[in-house]
Amino acid sequence: MIFHVLTIFPEFFEGPFAHGVVKRGKDAGLLDIRIHNLRDWTTDRHRTVDDRPFGGGEGMVLKAEPIFQAVESIWPERRLDQKVALLSASGRMFDQATANRFSREGELLLICGRYEGVDERVASHLADEEISIGNYVLSGGELAAAVVIDAVARLLPGVLGNETSAAFDSFQDSGHGEGLLDCPHWTRPAEFRGWKAPEVLLNGNHEEIRQWRKKAALEKTSRLRPDLIKGSGFGGWVPGE
Ligand code: SAH
């Protein structure tokens, strides 16, 4: 899969993809991440990407023209599996289901806003969707783009060493239960400062461990994220009730 990022701070991305799973995926040729400098599609001497908002008010707005130019020159003939997402605090919430959906696309181009945001014509006439990574305001879309790429990249076939390991992650429908949190994990030593790892995980009985993990995932979900249980197929059952 090919990811594209359109940004006024290309150097921001020197760090986020230089480690771990994403780097290995890149090195193995399973994904490619292309960072594009928005200023390369400006035509004036100052390489202007922003302007004052119509109607007045604070701050600056990223202009539509260089963004359209950029996308149209990256993909002169855009295919249906070449998707554009605008990072935006007012977008639809990015979640694991969206990450799964993106992982089935051929290419994904992420537009990073800055300042007060992006001329609305980008959302209405260029982007396939507007996505937010949470109910808070960042100063730019770069961190959000890195989050989206990381979450999608680890779902691509072969990127995680073990094909099945993404299936058991939190929120994955294929995991311990439909869209629940992951089960808690322990590693050696079996006892640390008097706190013991659960006995059942040490006994080597795989079926018992599987059942126990499923219950533990459900218990943790109902304690920390009861909102995920509703409509999950567990009928709102809460352990201990
Ligand atoms: N005035 C805007 C905030 C602009 S923040 C508002 O109140 O909604 C500048 C840029 O940061 C945005 O254009 C967007 O690209 C990015 N950004 C900010 N918060 C974000 C979030 N929660 N998710 C994704 N991108 C975000």
Side-chain angles (χ1 to χ4, degrees):
M1 176 167 182
I2 303 177
F3 298 90
H4 300 267
V5 182
L6 190 56
T7 172
I8 60 168
F9 295 125
E11 60 285 359
F12 178 94
F13 294 96
E14 281 161 20
F17 309 128
H19 313 276
V21 166
V22 177
K23 178 176 189 294
R24 259 192 289 125
K26 264 187 349 179
D27 291 347
L30 300 167
L31 60 117
D32 191 7
I33 303 172
R34 302 182 187 166
I35 309 297
H36 306 274
N37 187 345
L38 181 61
R39 289 190 201 278
D40 291 347
W41 285 278
T42 55
T43 46
D44 63 311
R45 196 160 57 86
H46 301 290
R47 307 182 87 200
T48 311
V49 290
D50 59 332
D51 208 337
R52 289 191 306 275
F54 281 132
E58 296 291 301
M60 300 295 273
V61 174
L62 285 184
K63 290 154 67 69
E65 195 176 6
I67 297 177
F68 273 76
Q69 293 286 358
V71 174
E72 286 161 5
S73 88
I74 292 167
W75 296 327
E77 285 167 49
R78 187 166 155 194
R79 297 191 313 260
L80 282 172
D81 70 339
Q82 292 173 316
K83 289 288 189 299
V84 176
L86 170 67
L87 280 321
S88 158
S90 41
R92 197 171 296 136
M93 201 70 77
F94 180 69
D95 59 10
Q96 193 67 14
T98 314
N100 278 291
R101 182 162 57 79
F102 284 164
S103 75
R104 294 189 286 269
E105 299 292 352
E107 300 188 28
L108 176 66
L109 189 151
L110 298 165
I111 301 172
C112 305
R114 275 275 155 182
Y115 315 119
E116 284 310 307
V118 180
D119 186 304
E120 188 64 18
R121 284 165 288 200
V122 170
S124 41
H125 302 294
L126 181 65
D128 294 290
E129 50 199 292
E130 220 177 322
I131 49 176
S132 162
I133 63 159
N135 290 338
Y136 38 80
V137 178
L138 302 165
S139 49
E142 284 76 11
L143 272 172
V147 166
V148 169
I149 291 176
D150 191 289
V152 175
R154 64 197 301 288
L155 294 173
L156 298 173
V159 169
L160 291 184
N162 174 356
E163 274 288 340
T164 61
S165 43
F168 288 98
D169 283 340
S170 298
F171 314 112
Q172 287 286 109
D173 281 350
S174 47
H176 296 284
E178 300 90 81
L180 297 182
L181 299 181
D182 191 9
C183 65
H185 304 283
W186 286 263
T187 184
R188 282 182 288 187
E191 184 172 343
F192 169 68
R193 297 190 179 173
W195 300 303
K196 289 186 177 144
E199 201 69 46
V200 55
L201 299 178
L202 311 176
N203 75 10
N205 181 333
H206 295 298
E207 181 51 27
E208 209 182 316
I209 290 173
R210 198 184 62 78
Q211 301 254 358
W212 186 90
R213 283 185 164 155
K214 196 164 180 152
K215 258 176 68 186
L218 185 54
E219 185 283 322
K220 191 158 184 173
T221 309
S222 61
R223 185 160 43 86
L224 299 180
R225 293 293 307 276
D227 56 302
L228 294 175
I229 305 237
K230 255 186 264 145
S232 71
F234 286 94
W237 179 78
V238 176
E241 267 193 356

